[in-house]
Amino acid sequence: MFRREDERAVTVQIGAVLLLAIVFTALALYQVNAVPAENGAVESEHNQQVRDEMQDLRNAIRNVGTSGGTESVAVTLGTQYPARTVSMNPPDPRGTLETTGNGTVRIDNASYVGSSDDYHGDPATMIEGDHATTTLVYEPDYNEYPNAPSTRIEHGYAFNDFEDATVPLTDQGLLNDGTIRLVLLEGALSESGSGAVSVDPTVLSGPSDAVPITAAEGAGNITITMPTHSPARWNETIGTTFDAGESDARVVAYADGELRIELADRAEEYALRMARVGIGDGGNRSDDYDVRRADDDSGDGGRSPAYHVDWQDPSGQSGVDDDRCDADSCTVVGDSVDLSMTTDETAADASVEYAVNDTAVGALSSTEGRTDSSGTHGITFDVSSDATDSDSVLVYTSSGSDGDRIRLDISRESSFDVTITGTNEPVGENETLSVTAEIENVGGAADTQAVNLTIGDGVGEVDTEPVELAPGESDTVTLDWETTVGDAGTYDATVASEDARETNTVDVGEHSPPTASIDAATYRTSGPWWWPSYDVIVDWSASDDDELSGGSVNEVRLYDSSGTYIGSREISPSGTTDSGRVQVSDVRSNPDGWTAELELSNTHDIQDTDSETVTAS
């Protein structure tokens, strides 16, 4: 009877192959379509974030140029894609924040109202000559959002710059209802990467009081010439006629990167305010724009209040990170921080007021007080239990007609700082090198981290120890490197936590080997002639610069004329020189032509050998 062959196994195999093909096709489609789409969404979200941060930077520059002092703004240059298990990401997006090179601002056809006696400082410096300045631009480097805009800050105006269009992010701050506010930027800045960078605009000159200006007689209308990379944006916001855009102003020319704005001839005076703000490596303090009205009532013709108020540096407390703390900003890792204000001219028993801009982050122990005899007063800022990592709050103090502020950044992550406190140098090869380090948790959360000792020059990680620390707590660890013969040299020894590292240079000395010597190797015959026996006697000696004892191998061995091992005797050398005799007795074969070998190792386990032919005595 004919039977048909069973084809079920073949069917299962075909099904498995088809299933694998479907899986691989799905993965390929996910990599080609879904991954770029998801990464594009990450890049778009980051672009929104950096746009907001650039607006904050523009506002900080404007605030400093209006009120003086320093502000700090973080700009996140890039971002990270989500981790993937079965697909791949391109390199994480990066970005660049940089100044665009020096340009000049010039005010022509203007004169100030009144005489120089009406001012402290020279108002003529504000309307004569060229004023150096620069602008800022953020350039993203995305993978899936290739047409993302650059974000620019020019003369108090922030906007997105696409290839064929611009989109304003803020109002222009140059002209407003007859007030000309020129905030000149000085310095060079160039930061690239994917992390966040801190930009700290600081006033270098001014801000001036408002100086009334009018068109100089017979000179035509006042014009302002300034550098720009986007003339179309200024055309649109200022306008090209006096009745479009900003009133009483129009853009009249653009050439070689310079835009010229004309102000209308009008009965009212224009008010000119100027300041120079440093950014990046920006410049030195000057009094070019320290122009004050002489009839101002606020002390010294309006140049300054009766006394200045400043926050003191809160560093040195257990609740702050000293490496990220000064009088302008401080990272708080504990539950509270003590703050102290002071006056530069001792103002005893003066009224002091305090405030915070976000009570959800924390609260002050008091909102008012009076200075002591040294002109200082202190309060405590208590961090809210609802505060989270990276929260930030501004704390203000004011007294008299002056004030100051400090930014407190809340940290609720661990941060293990590393300080190498010593080593057990000098050591030699084949000895243990020990490195001792203090590990301190300067962060705001308890954690356990592995602390490692790594030796350079290709040696690698040699020891590790887990360290558990609460916030503000520290511990001392000792990590060891068991050196071997041949490790002599100079090395970088690095102790590292997950957050920090410190490196010291260490030296491993070289040990010389011992000297092994067989002084004599003889045999003598005993017993009857028909059944003789032989005694082999070996005299040895040894010397070393260090201790002979403690080595791993110290023995005398015997080999016959064919190199076959016969036997051995252990020896126990000690001191720096030693000698002795060993005997192998009752050998029944003739030892003539045998070899005696001495192998010797010192306390560092460095070895030496010697051999001698056994001869008749």
Side-chain angles (χ1 to χ4, degrees):
M1 180 178 178
F2 175 75
R3 291 184 177 273
R4 183 178 181 181
E5 293 183 5
D6 193 344
E7 296 181 350
R8 287 174 294 177
V10 175
T11 303
V12 171
Q13 292 173 350
I14 294 174
V17 171
L18 291 174
L19 181 59
L20 285 174
I22 292 171
V23 170
F24 284 124
T25 301
L27 289 175
L29 291 173
Y30 181 79
Q31 178 69 50
V32 171
N33 297 310
V35 170
E38 292 173 359
N39 289 347
V42 170
E43 293 173 352
S44 177
E45 181 178 349
H46 170 261
N47 191 255
Q48 173 67 45
Q49 175 187 353
V50 79
R51 185 182 72 180
D52 294 341
E53 292 170 347
M54 289 293 284
Q55 293 180 63
D56 292 340
L57 179 55
R58 174 264 188 190
N59 293 337
I61 294 171
R62 180 179 173 85
N63 292 342
V64 168
T66 301
S67 303
T70 299
E71 293 195 14
S72 184
V73 176
V75 178
T76 309
L77 300 179
T79 187
Q80 291 183 325
Y81 297 128
R84 303 185 185 279
T85 303
V86 295
S87 58
M88 297 178 61
N89 282 323
D92 285 332
R94 298 166 57 87
T96 299
L97 176 65
E98 61 185 354
T99 49
T100 58
N102 289 331
T104 57
V105 172
R106 188 173 60 256
I107 301 175
D108 293 314
N109 307 331
S111 63
Y112 64 88
V113 177
S115 70
S116 59
D117 293 337
D118 296 331
Y119 300 92
H120 294 284
D122 186 4
T125 61
M126 300 169 60
I127 57 175
E128 295 177 355
D130 293 338
H131 307 273
T133 191
T134 188
T135 64
L136 283 167
V137 61
Y138 169 78
E139 298 277 5
D141 184 12
Y142 295 136
N143 295 298
E144 307 300 341
Y145 188 5
N147 296 320
S150 303
T151 303
R152 296 186 179 275
I153 300 175
E154 292 186 351
H155 318 295
Y157 194 17
F159 53 90
N160 276 344
D161 188 358
F162 295 86
E163 291 183 358
D164 54 358
T166 57
V167 177
L169 301 178
T170 66
D171 294 333
Q172 60 86 12
L174 178 66
L175 298 168
N176 184 31
D177 292 334
T179 295
I180 308 164
R181 192 179 301 277
L182 280 174
V183 179
L184 308 170
L185 278 183
E186 179 176 334
L189 174 70
S190 181
E191 298 284 352
S192 297
S194 57
V197 296
S198 179
V199 184
D200 305 303
T202 303
V203 70
L204 299 177
S205 185
S208 71
D209 282 350
V211 174
I213 63 173
T214 60
E217 185 176 353
N221 289 347
I222 297 172
T223 61
I224 302 171
T225 304
M226 62 185 191
T228 181
H229 290 264
S230 301
R233 170 50 27 211
W234 288 97
N235 285 344
E236 184 172 340
T237 189
I238 298 293
T240 56
T241 62
F242 287 136
D243 56 359
E246 180 62 34
S247 61
D248 295 329
R250 65 181 180 182
V251 176
V252 293
Y254 172 78
D256 300 325
E258 290 189 337
L259 186 85
R260 189 163 76 249
I261 299 172
E262 180 185 3
L263 304 184
D265 185 15
R266 66 178 197 171
E268 299 91 348
E269 300 159 349
Y270 290 96
L272 174 62
R273 295 178 180 269
M274 292 185 70
R276 175 177 288 116
V277 172
I279 201 166
D281 64 357
N284 299 317
R285 185 82 171 86
S286 73
D287 59 1
D288 293 347
Y289 308 114
D290 292 346
V291 178
R292 302 288 185 270
R293 295 283 305 181
D295 57 1
D296 195 303
D297 294 328
S298 58
D300 193 21
R303 286 191 73 113
S304 61
Y307 56 86
H308 289 285
V309 173
D310 296 291
W311 283 115
Q312 294 181 319
D313 186 350
S315 300
Q317 306 179 47
S318 61
V320 304
D321 181 354
D322 284 347
D323 292 335
R324 295 180 289 171
C325 193
D326 56 33
D328 296 318
S329 63
C330 189
T331 298
V332 181
V333 298
D335 295 327
S336 64
V337 57
D338 294 328
L339 301 174
S340 180
M341 60 78 67
T342 186
T343 57
D344 63 344
E345 297 289 341
T346 301
D349 198 36
S351 175
V352 187
E353 295 182 349
Y354 303 97
V356 296
N357 72 331
D358 191 349
T359 55
V361 179
L364 299 171
S365 59
S366 176
T367 59
E368 59 184 18
R370 304 194 74 85
T371 58
D372 59 20
S373 59
S374 61
T376 64
H377 187 264
I379 57 169
T380 300
F381 177 82
D382 295 307
V383 181
S384 170
S385 59
D386 296 328
T388 60
D389 188 61
S390 298
D391 277 349
S392 184
V393 65
L394 295 175
V395 183
Y396 299 88
T397 181
S398 61
S399 180
S401 58
D402 196 32
D404 196 12
R405 72 178 186 183
I406 186 171
R407 189 187 76 244
L408 302 180
D409 300 316
I410 310 303
S411 173
R412 286 299 176 260
E413 292 184 347
S414 66
S415 180
F416 281 23
D417 198 16
V418 176
T419 303
I420 294 178
T421 57
T423 69
N424 66 333
E425 288 185 284
V427 297
E429 53 189 344
N430 232 37
E431 295 179 349
T432 300
L433 173 72
S434 298
V435 180
T436 302
E438 181 182 28
I439 313 301
E440 181 181 7
N441 185 357
V442 298
D447 198 4
T448 299
Q449 292 190 14
V451 177
N452 307 310
L453 172 61
T454 301
I455 305 298
D457 202 19
V459 177
E461 183 180 310
V462 295
D463 198 7
T464 184
E465 183 173 334
V467 177
E468 182 178 1
L469 295 174
E473 189 178 16
S474 63
D475 194 9
T476 299
V477 296
T478 298
L479 302 168
D480 296 328
W481 175 28
E482 303 293 342
T483 69
T484 60
V485 176
D487 283 337
T490 300
Y491 298 87
D492 285 339
T494 301
V495 179
S497 68
E498 295 176 11
D499 307 305
R501 62 183 56 229
E502 186 166 90
T503 299
N504 274 14
T505 300
V506 295
D507 292 313
V508 177
E510 182 178 7
H511 290 299
S512 58
T515 300
S517 177
I518 294 181
D519 301 322
T522 60
Y523 69 89
R524 62 190 177 200
T525 306
S526 61
W529 62 268
W530 66 85
W531 188 244
S533 65
Y534 303 92
D535 298 327
V536 178
I537 301 99
V538 178
D539 294 321
W540 61 268
S541 61
S543 63
D544 191 29
D545 292 337
D546 294 311
E547 175 62 40
L548 286 166
S549 62
S552 61
V553 179
N554 289 290
E555 64 180 6
V556 175
R557 305 186 189 99
L558 294 177
Y559 298 91
D560 66 16
S561 58
S562 65
T564 302
Y565 171 78
I566 302 299
S568 63
R569 292 290 186 270
E570 289 188 358
I571 61 175
S572 300
S574 62
T576 58
T577 61
D578 202 356
S579 61
R581 170 177 287 184
V582 296
Q583 179 173 318
V584 180
S585 302
D586 201 25
V587 178
R588 290 297 175 177
S589 60
N590 188 343
D592 192 18
W594 286 13
T595 300
E597 181 181 271
L598 169 62
E599 183 173 3
L600 187 71
S601 58
N602 62 12
T603 187
H604 306 295
D605 218 24
I606 303 176
Q607 299 175 353
D608 188 34
T609 60
D610 191 26
S611 61
E612 188 70 33
T613 301
V614 178
T615 60
S617 59

